[in-house]
């Protein structure tokens, strides 16, 4: 579900409606997505021109705004109600914030062999 906003055409403002399963509620709910015209927005202290994509579950659900550049680059997401902000970063920035951060990929475990009956 978090990839959906990255799939829309960004050059035409348009609204979309999807049915999506929401595990928290154990039911299918409506997901509203609105691609809006580009606006100037401040993300991580920097002013950028971005295409806002408003995304919510249910007609009156909490709105998350995903920001994309005109060429399709993900710039970040903000939900004012929940106070959650997601910004892309890199390893160097993370190492500056947390000196002992472990950025290695987790081990891939092979599935256990099937038991014989």
């Amino acid at each position: 579900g978090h990839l959906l906003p990255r799939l829309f055409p960004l050059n035409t403002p348009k609204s979309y409606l999807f049915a999506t399963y929401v595990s928290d509620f154990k039911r299918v709910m409506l997901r509203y997505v609105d691609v809006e015209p580009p606006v100037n927005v401040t993300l991580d202290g920097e002013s950028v021109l971005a295409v806002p994509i408003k995304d919510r579950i249910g007609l009156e659900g909490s709105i998350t705004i995903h920001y994309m550049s005109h060429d399709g680059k993900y710039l970040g997401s903000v939900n004012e109600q929940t106070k959650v902000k997601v910004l892309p970063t890199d390893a160097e920035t993370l190492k500056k914030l947390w000196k002992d951060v472990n950025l290695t990929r987790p081990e891939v475990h092979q599935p256990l062999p099937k038991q014989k009956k």
Side-chain angles (χ1 to χ4, degrees):
H2 68 282
L3 294 175
L4 183 64
R6 294 170 175 91
L7 302 176
F8 296 107
L10 302 174
N11 55 355
T12 306
K14 198 171 187 178
S15 295
Y16 300 88
L17 176 64
F18 298 91
T20 186
Y21 181 75
V22 181
S23 59
D24 289 350
F25 296 105
K26 295 183 170 72
R27 64 183 171 138
V28 174
M29 299 180 72
L30 295 178
R31 182 174 182 178
Y32 298 83
V33 181
D34 301 305
V35 178
E36 299 192 340
V39 295
N40 283 312
V41 64
T42 301
L43 291 171
D44 200 23
E46 189 176 321
S47 181
V48 294
L49 182 63
V51 176
I53 300 174
K54 292 184 177 179
D55 186 6
R56 69 188 183 282
I57 303 291
L59 186 59
E60 296 180 6
S62 178
I63 298 173
T64 297
I65 304 173
H66 308 279
Y67 293 101
M68 305 290 290
S69 69
H70 222 6
D71 61 353
K73 180 180 175 190
Y74 174 73
L75 302 174
S77 299
V78 177
N79 185 310
E80 294 295 337
Q81 183 179 352
T82 61
K83 305 294 185 221
V84 172
K85 184 184 292 187
V86 177
L87 298 169
T89 191
D90 57 19
E92 183 179 319
T93 302
L94 292 176
K95 287 177 183 176
K96 286 179 186 174
L97 293 171
W98 297 285
K99 66 177 182 159
D100 297 324
V101 67
N102 179 356
L103 298 176
T104 59
R105 291 189 182 270
E107 266 186 57
V108 176
H109 295 283
Q110 299 300 320
L112 295 173
K114 291 185 179 181
Q115 297 288 330
K116 292 182 181 180
K117 291 185 180 181

